[in-house]
Amino acid sequence: MLNVKFGCGGCAFRTAAMKHCFYNETVGFFYNNSRKELTTYWRTKDVLVVALGLTVSVIVLLTNLLVITAIIINRRFHYPIYYLLGNLAAADLFAGIAYMFLMFHTGPRTAELSLKTWFIRQSLLDTSLTASVVNLLAIAVERHQTVFTMQLHSKMSNQRVMILIFCIWVTALLLGLIPSYGWHCLCALEKCSSMAPLYSRSYLTFWAISNLVIFLIMVVVYTHIFIYVKRKMTRMSKHTSFHPRYKETMISLVKTVTIILSAFVICWTPGQVVLLLDGLGCKSCNVLAVEKYVLLLAEINSLINAIVYSYRDNEMRSTFRRILCFVCYRNSKYTPTVVKLNTTDRRTLSQNGHFTVDSSI
């Protein structure tokens, strides 16, 4: 269980600082301080938000669990990019659980939460969403490397991938737990944010700017991939030896990059901008009016990730069908490496033994 520390860290002025801290106050006290509405009964709007949120959470859980299962049981997916996709699915699965936890502790139930439970609720969200974003950045960099070397899989060792995944979660945990261990406003009510009444506005500013920087890096990386692929197609189309299958792969890659960028910008940018405005203390910005909607939009991206990065892969779709039809095939042994392909769909091997680029992820 999360050990939330509300102490002053043993500083020399502990006694003086305690006089200005509000560790024993209720959640309602901080909501009133930030002028954030805290209802004591279920409104129609609250019921609709919870119903929609739980529905999205369940779908996110099921789809990402399907992705993780497919990567585990199919040996063709035991490569760096799929390990990162599996980790992304794990992060999004965690995001689904965190959002579901939020739905069960929102509305009128918020007023009943202890400060510790409120911090747990928010830390789960922050950690899961940060893990998802950082993982998306790692996948973007990996795709950039493999596309420019014309390989389906990178040469990164499994050990390096595991270290990278470990670093992703350490970063997510640090950013998610920082508010619980001191970067809050329990001792400085004038610094409390509107959207998260127990969080310091400076933390929201830091978190929003950090994510926006990651967004910018991703946009640059995927834009570079997009430009490279377009130029490559233009040059190759002038040669009569330009294989149609290669053209299909390139077109598919361009479509995927476009979908990734569009979904990412649409789902994440509004929430980060709203957080930044709240963190900067914008008085004329009614951030509370759109708070729940931008958070739901960010959660929907956890569903889109599974679709874009996994469902567009033919082998992944085939594995999904095998999993979903497991009851029908319970008497037959699953053999992931034996897949019959026709002549046009057969993949060719490159010099290093890896498949050439024939994937839309």
Side-chain angles (χ1 to χ4, degrees), residues 89-123:
D92 290 335
L93 183 71
F94 184 27
I97 294 173
Y99 196 74
M100 184 174 290
F101 184 84
L102 171 66
M103 292 298 99
F104 283 119
H105 296 83
T106 191
R109 294 196 182 102
T110 302
E112 303 171 3
L113 299 179
S114 65
L115 299 187
K116 188 174 183 178
T117 306
W118 189 94
F119 272 103
I120 291 175
R121 188 186 76 172
Q122 298 304 125
S123 295

Side-chain angles (χ1 to χ4, degrees), residues 195 267 270-272 274 290-299:
M195 293 177 62
C267 291
Q272 299 308 313
V274 170
V290 296
E291 173 197 12
K292 289 182 171 61
Y293 305 107
V294 295
L295 179 58
L296 179 61
L297 198 58
E299 180 62 24

Side-chain angles (χ1 to χ4, degrees), residues 21-63:
C21 296
F22 300 88
Y23 303 124
N24 297 322
E25 293 292 346
T26 64
V27 169
F29 171 82
F30 293 94
Y31 273 64
N32 290 333
N33 174 70
S34 298
R35 293 181 175 83
K36 184 174 183 179
E37 185 180 12
L38 193 60
T39 61
T40 56
Y41 61 94
W42 286 98
R43 301 169 300 181
T44 303
K45 181 176 68 173
D46 298 326
V47 174
L48 290 176
V49 169
V50 170
L52 182 58
L54 288 176
T55 302
V56 172
S57 296
V58 170
I59 297 175
V60 167
L61 290 176
L62 293 177
T63 53

